[in-house]
Amino acid sequence: MKNLGPVSRGWLSAIGIHTLGELADVGSITAYRLIRQHGHRANLNLLYALEAALRGCHWQALDPATRASLQAAGRQIAAELKAG
C-alpha cells in the first residue's frame, strides 16, 4: 500500500487488515482507532498515510480540509483512549 512502510503494514496486519480493499472496508479512521486500541504508538502521520493510501496519493497531497478533519478525528480518538 502506497505511503505505508513495514511498521505501519505490521500494525495493520495485527488488526487483520492485509490489503487495500480491507482498509477501504473499514476506512482510515477506524483502522487508526483499532491500531491505537491495540497499544501501538501511532500518530497523525499514520492517519494521513492511511487516508492517502485509500486515495492513491502521497499523504502530503491531502487537502487542508481533509487534514483538518483527520486531525479532529485523531484528537477524538486520543481523548477516548485516555478516558479509558
Side-chain angles (χ1 to χ4, degrees):
M1 288 181 258
K2 187 174 186 170
N3 299 306
L4 302 172
V7 171
S8 300
R9 288 192 308 267
W11 290 346
L12 286 168
S13 180
I15 61 166
I17 296 174
H18 307 282
T19 67
L20 188 58
E22 290 170 341
L23 177 58
D25 287 344
V26 299
S28 61
I29 294 170
T30 298
Y32 179 76
R33 178 180 279 112
L34 291 169
I35 288 168
R36 293 286 311 265
Q37 286 173 336
H38 277 78
H40 301 292
R41 294 188 157 275
N43 60 30
L44 285 176
N45 287 337
L46 176 65
L47 184 51
Y48 296 153
L50 293 170
E51 182 63 28
L54 291 173
R55 295 175 182 227
C57 66
H58 190 275
W59 69 268
Q60 291 177 326
L62 295 173
D63 62 88
T66 298
R67 284 191 197 192
S69 176
L70 293 171
Q71 288 172 6
R75 282 192 300 271
Q76 181 177 347
I77 291 165
E80 290 169 4
L81 293 174
K82 186 176 182 179

